[in-house]
Amino acid sequence: MDVRSLYAAQKYAASLPAMEPDATQKPSLQGSFAQAAQDFVGTLREAEQTAQQNMAGDADPHALVEALAQSELAVETVVAVRNKVVEAYQEILRMPV
């Protein structure tokens, strides 16, 4: 074994822990989806509150446009995720048993 391959093996062994996920900070899939759903609902509620304040004349029109843009982006993201889930489910149904 020459010096270069020994050095490469040592560097690989040293960097191996960096490639493995940290077990103490391992988020669950259910928790991730729950947090995403809560963020989505929060975004829609904020947009609704801003729209109501604007109708009452208490909100800045710029804040309304910003809130509506954020809610539109959130809805488009949720629809895209839903479409991917449905597509994956349909692909599973097409698999031969």
Side-chain angles (χ1 to χ4, degrees):
M1 187 176 234
D2 82 14
V3 174
R4 287 182 291 182
S5 60
L6 180 63
Y7 181 71
Q10 288 174 344
K11 285 295 187 181
Y12 177 76
S15 67
L16 194 57
M19 292 183 275
E20 296 174 0
D22 188 9
T24 61
Q25 297 179 358
K26 187 176 180 181
S28 68
L29 185 61
Q30 182 180 3
S32 298
F33 277 121
Q35 182 63 38
Q38 289 174 353
D39 291 345
F40 173 70
V41 170
T43 301
L44 292 183
R45 284 187 180 153
E46 288 175 13
E48 185 178 345
Q49 288 174 353
T50 304
Q52 288 174 351
Q53 290 173 352
N54 195 353
M55 284 187 259
D58 297 335
D60 180 31
H62 178 70
L64 176 65
V65 171
E66 185 178 329
L68 291 176
Q70 287 178 350
S71 64
E72 181 182 5
L73 181 62
V75 169
E76 287 175 358
T77 302
V78 168
V79 168
V81 169
R82 183 214 51 187
N83 289 345
K84 288 292 185 179
V85 169
V86 169
E87 186 179 311
Y89 180 72
Q90 289 174 345
E91 189 68 28
I92 289 171
L93 288 178
R94 283 188 222 119
M95 288 182 179
V97 177

